[in-house]
Amino acid sequence: MNPKKSLFENFGKIYQRADKPRPSMYKRDLPWNGPAFSERILSEHLDESHGAASRVTSERGIQLDWLWQKLALFKNAHLFDVTCGPGLYAIKFAKRGCRVIGVDFNAAAIAYAKDLALSERVASKCTFIEQDVRQLNYDGENFDAAILLYGQLDSFARQEAETLLQQIAYALKPGGKLCIEILNQAEVDKTDSTWWFTDDQGLWADDPFLHLGERFWYEDEQMSVERYYIVHLETGEMDEVFMCTQTYSVEDITEMMQAAGFSSVQAYPAWDGLPLYDATEWMVYVAEK
Ligand SMILES: C[S@@+](CC[C@H](N)C(=O)[O-])C[C@H]1O[C@@H](n2cnc3c(N)ncnc32)[C@H](O)[C@@H]1O
């Protein structure tokens, strides 16, 4: 289609968008496993100038020491990295002697993790699986520990999160430990906002684009929904992307973890005081089966 006509039509769609539709109407998350997006987000995971997709190496090192201790890891421990991304944690744990299974549905990230395991000479200790973690079906009592880091649990609908926690509990040995990192509900921005920016290329597109963003806070559900329109300026085409973030109080997530099969749950606000640039935004929980 003629780019100008396409732009005109797409701005009309933006004008007619739903004002503040119910969260259940949205697709919930970024297109992590979309072919082009998955390649672009992989670059963000590996970009050491920011920690937006994965934390930078120096911060990961600090977390690894903490996790090693809190999860009582040991040489040959069997570790489950749920939403492992490009395997940046998994491979470091493998280098410390763990046997690791990492699962993620971003094909580009999984391919990267497999290559990294080879180049770091830990391929025999690592298995990376491209799979949607909402369809986990692992044997029971297999892992000594599991990690689910950097807020991914918040992106799932509450019921999906409950099921995922149950699946992880099932996969752990008795006494096995899980560490999850979710947003600190008290620190989350609870206002509505809008923004825009342009770029020649980046996370949202490989071509010049206009990004229009809106954020809604839903007090009853204690969740936010962000809606992005990506307008491709050369073709006039447009993408609509949503990102939902469910937040949990300490009591709420503790109950969910107990209902999933964990006997004890310990909360660590602000990453237990570790020097991470955004530590105060996070709550970390270590639960024991
Ligand atoms: C913020 S990144 C964190 C990656 C990794 N844990 C880290 O900290 O480096 C979230 C990851 O979750 C993955 N992900 C999101 N939804 C998923 C799903 N339903 N199944 C599997 N992986 C998923 C994404 O592909 C992405 O790699």
Side-chain angles (χ1 to χ4, degrees):
M1 191 193 285
N2 174 321
K4 279 190 185 155
K5 187 158 182 263
S6 193
L7 268 180
F8 184 74
E9 282 186 11
N10 282 325
F11 281 128
K13 283 185 196 158
I14 294 173
Y15 178 66
Q16 286 166 2
R17 73 199 184 283
D19 266 353
K20 187 171 179 176
R22 304 306 308 150
S24 57
M25 291 174 67
Y26 294 110
K27 281 193 219 149
R28 294 195 64 89
D29 202 2
L30 301 177
W32 294 101
N33 57 347
F37 191 86
S38 69
E39 290 287 350
R40 293 198 297 266
I41 193 82
L42 175 60
S43 305
E44 303 297 328
H45 280 294
L46 304 178
D47 186 339
E48 285 282 313
S49 71
H50 65 77
S54 289
R55 289 174 193 282
V56 296
T57 305
S58 55
E59 292 202 342
R60 261 197 322 273
I62 296 167
Q63 290 175 305
L64 281 155
D65 289 339
W66 190 90
L67 289 164
W68 186 265
Q69 195 221 336
K70 294 290 183 218
L71 295 175
L73 288 170
F74 53 93
K75 196 165 180 225
N76 279 326
H78 201 195
L79 176 67
F80 194 10
D81 188 347
V82 183
T83 68
C84 62
L88 303 175
Y89 291 83
I91 282 160
K92 289 290 184 197
F93 281 121
K95 291 197 82 155
R96 292 183 182 205
C98 296
R99 293 171 296 129
V100 189
I101 292 189
V103 180
D104 199 289
F105 70 178
N106 176 344
I110 289 293
Y112 180 90
K114 286 180 179 170
D115 284 350
L116 187 61
L118 281 171
S119 64
E120 294 286 331
R121 299 176 186 279
V122 286
S124 63
K125 290 197 158 284
C126 298
T127 307
F128 290 107
I129 300 168
E130 184 187 333
Q131 188 187 14
D132 189 325
V133 298
R134 291 166 296 186
Q135 276 128 40
L136 285 187
N137 50 357
Y138 286 82
D139 288 345
E141 306 195 351
N142 195 5
F143 294 95
D144 298 291
I147 53 178
L148 174 43
L149 299 180
Y150 227 4
Q152 190 53 41
L153 194 74
D154 289 324
S155 297
F156 298 131
R158 181 181 278 267
Q159 207 179 348
E160 290 172 339
E162 284 168 357
T163 306
L164 180 54
L165 290 172
Q166 284 162 17
Q167 290 289 336
I168 296 172
Y170 177 67
L172 286 170
K173 294 176 187 169
K177 292 176 187 235
L178 164 67
C179 176
I180 63 166
E181 175 187 17
I182 60 176
L183 286 169
N184 183 340
Q185 190 178 63
E187 297 293 320
V188 168
D189 178 5
K190 301 186 177 65
T191 55
D192 292 354
S193 54
T194 58
W195 62 87
W196 66 272
F197 62 90
T198 56
D199 212 340
D200 290 334
Q201 59 177 49
L203 174 62
W204 301 104
D206 293 316
D207 48 344
F209 65 90
L210 164 65
H211 172 122
L212 300 166
E214 288 180 295
R215 184 173 194 281
F216 305 107
W217 175 252
Y218 295 85
E219 183 63 24
D220 289 351
E221 292 94 339
Q222 290 288 298
M223 72 180 289
S224 67
V225 176
E226 294 190 358
R227 171 167 58 189
Y228 317 124
Y229 289 105
I230 314 302
V231 183
H232 299 269
L233 298 172
E234 284 173 354
T235 61
E237 286 170 10
M238 185 172 82
D239 306 317
E240 188 182 44
V241 180
F242 295 100
M243 190 172 80
C244 297
T245 304
Q246 176 67 58
T247 69
Y248 299 95
S249 66
V250 175
E251 298 71 30
D252 202 5
I253 194 79
T254 301
E255 269 176 34
M256 265 171 72
M257 292 178 96
Q258 285 169 341
F262 292 95
S263 57
S264 74
V265 181
Q266 177 75 47
Y268 297 95
W271 266 103
D272 201 21
L274 296 187
L276 311 177
Y277 85 103
D278 60 348
T280 53
E281 292 175 25
W282 299 96
M283 287 291 300
V284 179
Y285 295 85
V286 176
E288 182 170 338
K289 182 174 172 184

